Amino acid sequence: SRDELAGMLYENSDEPYCEELAKAITDEIRKGHRVDTTTKLRRIIEETLDFLPEKDKKETIKKTCQRTFQALRIEVNDEMGALRRFLCQALEELRPGGRLVIITYHSLEDRLVKNFMRSGNFSGEIDRDFFGQAKTPLKPLTNKPIVPSEQEVSDNPRSRSAKLRVAVKL
C-alpha cells in the first residue's frame, strides 16, 4: 500500500520525499503500468521531484535514487532481519571476554549495532538491577565508532561510509 511503501522508504533510508514517491509509485501501478526496472523507477523519481529548483534537482534526484534503491534492497533481502539474527547468534556464541567487531555502511545498520552493543537489545533501552547498575551482556570498547582516515578514503572512496564498532562480552 501507499502507506507501507512510504514507511519502508522512510525506515530503510530516511528518504525525505517518501510520501511523494510512494504516491507517485502507487499511482503508476494503479494506472496499470508496471514498475519493474530501475529505469522506470528513476523516471518516476525524476517526475516526482520535478518541482525542485533547477540548481538542486540533479543532485537531489541522484541521492533520492540511491536512497530508494537502498531501501528496496534492504526490504527485499531482509537485511535488517538478517543483521538482528546474526547479532543474537553472535552474542550466544561469544565466550566472556570475546569481542564482537562489526562494520556498518549506513545509518540504519549502525543504529541497530550501536543499540545492541550498548544494551544487548535493539531498542537501546538498558535493563538495570535493583541498585541501578546496568545489566548488559556487552561493553562497547569505544565511545564513538572507528571511521576511515582521510588517506583511507582517498585510497578507497567506498570506505567513506564505513563505521567499525567493537564490544566485549562480559
Side-chain angles (χ1 to χ4, degrees):
S1 74
R2 178 176 158 182
D3 289 341
E4 290 171 325
L5 182 57
M8 184 270 300
L9 289 170
Y10 182 77
E11 288 290 319
N12 291 351
S13 67
D14 296 326
E15 173 52 52
Y17 299 106
C18 60
E19 298 288 339
E20 295 89 341
L21 292 173
K23 180 183 182 324
I25 293 166
T26 54
D27 286 352
E28 196 72 15
I29 292 168
R30 273 194 212 99
K31 291 176 189 173
H33 302 134
R34 295 179 63 173
V35 183
D36 56 358
T37 67
T38 56
T39 302
K40 289 178 185 177
L41 183 55
R42 180 177 176 88
R43 181 188 51 77
I44 293 169
I45 291 169
E46 288 171 343
E47 290 172 2
T48 302
L49 300 181
D50 196 44
F51 69 90
L52 293 170
E54 283 301 318
K55 65 182 179 80
D56 301 331
K57 194 181 294 187
K58 184 177 179 183
E59 187 63 22
T60 303
I61 287 171
K62 176 185 171 190
K63 289 197 180 291
T64 297
C65 284
Q66 290 170 340
R67 286 188 296 262
T68 301
F69 296 140
Q70 171 186 300
L72 290 169
R73 186 199 75 231
I74 288 169
E75 189 71 19
V76 167
N77 296 333
D78 186 29
E79 291 179 16
M80 293 300 104
L83 180 56
R84 282 184 186 93
R85 290 186 297 276
F86 168 77
L87 290 169
C88 290
Q89 289 171 353
L91 183 59
E92 283 181 28
E93 296 299 322
L94 270 178
R95 293 182 184 149
R99 294 181 183 207
L100 179 62
V101 180
I102 306 286
I103 299 175
T104 61
Y105 293 96
H106 56 79
S107 60
L108 185 61
E109 287 176 339
D110 192 58
R111 190 174 321 123
L112 193 130
V113 169
K114 176 179 75 173
N115 285 342
F116 189 80
M117 286 185 172
R118 287 186 177 164
S119 66
N121 62 56
F122 301 112
S123 70
E125 299 208 10
I126 297 174
D127 290 333
R128 300 198 177 271
D129 66 15
F130 178 77
F131 300 104
Q133 295 294 321
K135 295 189 317 184
T136 59
L138 295 167
K139 179 185 178 206
L141 294 184
T142 60
N143 290 329
K144 302 255 184 212
I146 299 166
V147 296
S149 66
E150 288 181 29
Q151 182 62 50
E152 185 173 358
V153 173
S154 175
D155 293 345
N156 177 12
R158 294 173 65 183
S159 72
R160 175 181 40 86
S161 63
K163 292 182 179 180
L164 184 132
R165 291 189 181 269
V166 183
V168 64
K169 185 169 183 180
L170 301 175

